[in-house]
Amino acid sequence: MSSEPTIFIGPKTREKIPEPLTFLKCLSCGVENSRPFKEGDYVLKVVNSEKCPKCGGAQSKIVNIYVPQKKESK
Amino acid sequence: MMEMVSEFLALLNPATGTGENLLSFILSLVWIVFLMVFFLYPSFGQRMQLGYMLRDLERKLQKLKSIKDEIQTITVDTVKREGPPQSDFSKEVERLSEFFIIQPESMDPYGLVYKLEHILETGESVYESEVAKLVPNASEARVKTLTNLFEILRGINTLYRVVRHYYLLGKKTSNIYLVLQIQMILPQLIEIAESYRQAASAFSKGQPIGDGVGVLVVAKLADGLEKTRYEIAKDTIVQELELEKRRVYIVRAQGPGGTVGRPGEAVKRLVESLSEQPKLIVTIDAALKLEGEETGKIAEGVGVAIGGPGVDKYKIEELAKSRNIPLHAFVIFQSITEAITPMRESIAKAADVVLEKVRKVILEKAREGEVVVIAGIGNTVGVGV
């Protein structure tokens, strides 16, 4: 009797791992932007390396990190 | 040749009226053999059913194994990224995946909570230091998150071993009832395993998970209002702030590394150190929803909202009873999968709603100058201070 099962199940049956978005709030103009999560991001982290797309402000704060809900198709 | 075929067809045709219908004879024979098999071997049907069940179990067990292997690969790859170059971590990872904690003896329940606390704390410290040895250059927060990743590997390893045990035992003893029981709960176990797979990915990247919603609420409450901050118990901090002249003490695990801290011990030490008795202790935590319930649903009640082995819950209950402090609780509902995988939008949005509710409770239940303790419970991975 083998201790390991033999039937192979491929990776096709796998559920896709949800990827979260990072929401940054510009500390100059208060506008909120989102982008895909990057390693090292955490909620309440102050980010100095990314410019605000609206006012060009250099400092922003991560206010949320979550997986957006899929919009239901009508 | 054609003649032979037509003769054979005539034998099979009941309309020929020869009385030598071969087809009906063969069919009758087959039926008799079948009846004899079932008559002489009554458990034949059960054997067949067992065979089907074992094949189904084998297929699902293979799925569990592939999830376990994938989590192991994620763990090894993550350690490789953080650890010293040119090191082979496979053996060490495997060794840590077999790590165990023996529950204390409960024949004599006296002092059981403290024995359990001691064993869990020792286990946690030992495990964390073993992980830290693999990644000597990683930050403290990262080591904590990696320790969570190893715990996931440990969990899936145990799950796989237990299911395989029952599969092989059922096969060896041909015990249909044993196989039936494991087959019945296997869909739920596969769901848990799938959650582990997604959780491993979240922890390897340091993403906030659904369970962290309690911590997220208090992090948002303290944001911009914090006056002082200090560590009160291992991995657990207190943030002091003022909210419309009420003195608010927030207790939470220190982020952004993956830890739940020791909220029970922290609340106990905090309340004992305060000169004034708190008017209220509020706990905020994630709770498991029932099937059909909406993710992110908020409920409010009385008591201590803390899951886990019960040590923290016990300590706060003891403290509140001895000092007659009211206990208020908020829970945010989610499934087991949502609790350990990257935070969903509905849970993050619920945190903002709970934040407003907590503010309202503080203002309603405490007057100016009075003290309130708010404990945000959960894993603080990806939630900073």
Side-chain angles (χ1 to χ4, degrees):
Chain A
M1 187 194 316
S2 70
S3 63
E4 299 291 331
T6 48
I7 299 169
F8 178 76
I9 306 275
K12 279 182 183 172
T13 51
R14 294 292 164 76
E15 232 175 86
K16 206 180 157 196
I17 294 175
E19 283 302 324
L21 293 179
T22 298
F23 294 81
L24 301 114
K25 191 175 183 179
C26 174
L27 294 179
S28 310
C29 66
V31 164
E32 218 175 283
N33 297 291
S34 67
R35 57 156 172 77
F37 175 88
K38 280 195 256 179
E39 266 186 58
D41 284 355
Y42 59 84
V43 179
L44 300 186
K45 181 184 182 183
V46 175
V47 180
N48 294 312
S49 54
E50 291 171 49
K51 282 190 175 176
C52 169
K54 197 184 174 199
C55 72
Q59 265 202 337
S60 49
K61 188 186 249 184
I62 297 177
V63 288
N64 255 326
I65 298 170
Y66 60 75
V67 179
Q69 222 144 11
K70 279 178 197 158
K71 298 275 181 280
E72 279 180 29
S73 55
K74 285 178 186 174
Chain B
M1 180 69 185
M2 286 298 286
E3 208 171 301
M4 276 174 69
V5 172
S6 61
E7 268 177 25
F8 181 70
L9 286 174
L11 274 175
L12 295 180
N13 188 1
T16 52
T18 56
E20 296 174 25
N21 188 343
L22 187 65
L23 181 65
S24 61
F25 175 73
I26 292 169
L27 284 174
S28 306
L29 202 66
V30 168
W31 274 114
I32 288 166
V33 169
F34 257 104
L35 284 173
M36 290 298 280
V37 166
F38 279 96
F39 184 71
L40 297 172
Y41 189 19
S43 62
F44 179 71
Q46 206 178 57
R47 281 257 169 196
M48 261 175 33
Q49 202 181 354
L50 180 69
Y52 284 127
M53 284 159 73
L54 281 171
R55 270 200 294 280
D56 180 48
L57 210 58
E58 192 169 306
R59 203 163 45 84
K60 285 176 177 153
L61 186 60
Q62 181 58 43
K63 189 171 180 176
L64 266 186
K65 187 177 184 295
S66 66
I67 293 174
K68 180 186 84 95
D69 291 345
E70 191 178 333
I71 293 175
Q72 188 150 352
T73 310
I74 291 174
T75 312
V76 172
D77 290 348
T78 312
V79 174
K80 263 184 194 163
R81 278 208 312 266
E82 312 265 344
Q86 281 121 32
S87 299
D88 181 22
F89 296 104
S90 313
K91 277 189 182 160
E92 283 301 299
V93 168
E94 209 174 317
R95 182 178 70 85
L96 287 176
S97 75
E98 303 279 340
F99 186 84
F100 60 87
I101 291 172
I102 301 168
Q103 297 287 310
E105 183 48 59
S106 59
M107 265 194 297
D108 174 13
Y110 179 75
L112 189 62
V113 174
Y114 293 97
K115 279 195 265 177
L116 179 65
E117 182 187 27
H118 173 67
I119 288 171
L120 291 177
E121 282 181 4
T122 311
E124 195 185 307
S125 303
V126 170
Y127 207 55
E128 205 176 295
S129 64
E130 287 292 321
V131 174
K133 275 188 216 163
L134 295 181
V135 283
N137 301 324
S139 66
E140 204 182 327
R142 193 68 187 138
V143 170
K144 288 185 193 309
T145 309
L146 284 177
T147 307
N148 286 171
L149 182 59
F150 273 89
E151 277 163 7
I152 292 167
L153 178 63
R154 214 170 82 192
I156 188 77
N157 190 35
T158 308
L159 188 66
Y160 171 70
R161 282 168 51 222
V162 170
V163 174
R164 188 183 57 182
H165 165 77
Y166 283 107
Y167 161 74
L168 290 174
L169 196 64
K171 199 174 174 181
K172 193 165 86 179
T173 58
S174 296
N175 187 339
I176 194 166
Y177 303 104
L178 203 65
V179 176
L180 186 69
Q181 285 182 67
I182 194 77
Q183 199 202 19
M184 278 196 298
I185 59 160
L186 209 53
Q188 282 104 303
L189 298 182
I190 294 277
E191 200 183 324
I192 292 171
E194 184 58 38
S195 313
Y196 279 171
R197 188 176 72 88
Q198 294 185 20
S201 166
F203 280 105
S204 75
K205 294 170 187 164
Q207 296 165 343
I209 57 168
D211 181 56
V213 67
V215 184
L216 183 65
V217 172
V218 294
K220 287 185 173 185
L221 179 65
D223 188 27
L225 296 174
E226 184 190 272
K227 283 182 172 175
T228 42
R229 179 200 310 167
Y230 48 91
E231 186 169 4
I232 195 155
K234 189 175 181 284
D235 304 331
T236 316
I237 55 163
V238 171
Q239 293 172 287
E240 289 183 24
L241 51 112
E242 204 175 283
L243 190 78
E244 299 195 22
K245 294 183 180 163
R246 277 86 171 163
R247 285 159 56 207
V248 179
Y249 291 84
I250 286 174
V251 175
R252 56 161 286 189
Q254 180 154 28
T259 176
V260 291
R262 290 176 189 168
E265 184 60 26
V267 170
K268 190 173 169 231
R269 284 185 195 170
L270 173 70
V271 173
E272 284 170 356
S273 70
L274 292 173
S275 54
E276 198 181 331
Q277 176 151 305
K279 289 300 286 181
L280 186 69
I281 297 174
V282 181
T283 43
I284 309 154
D285 196 8
L288 277 185
K289 69 170 187 174
L290 299 174
E291 279 302 324
E293 279 186 322
E294 207 182 316
T295 299
K297 193 178 99 176
I298 300 157
E300 202 175 332
V302 167
V304 181
I306 300 182
V311 173
D312 296 291
K313 191 167 176 255
Y314 174 85
K315 284 191 173 180
I316 298 179
E317 282 168 354
E318 275 279 299
L319 176 86
K321 185 196 146 244
S322 65
R323 294 179 177 241
N324 202 24
I325 306 170
L327 294 165
H328 204 92
F330 288 96
V331 291
I332 297 104
F333 288 106
Q334 49 200 274
S335 69
I336 176 76
T337 305
E338 287 158 346
I340 60 171
T341 54
M343 192 178 282
R344 307 298 203 269
E345 185 176 356
S346 51
I347 299 170
K349 294 274 161 74
D352 296 329
V353 180
V354 174
L355 178 61
E356 285 315 308
K357 284 179 183 278
V358 171
R359 277 200 187 117
K360 204 174 153 198
V361 165
I362 295 170
L363 299 181
E364 270 176 15
K365 308 266 178 182
R367 284 176 293 190
E368 288 185 7
E370 287 183 332
V371 174
V372 177
V373 175
I374 314 283
I377 312 299
N379 193 308
T380 189
V381 61
V383 183
V385 183

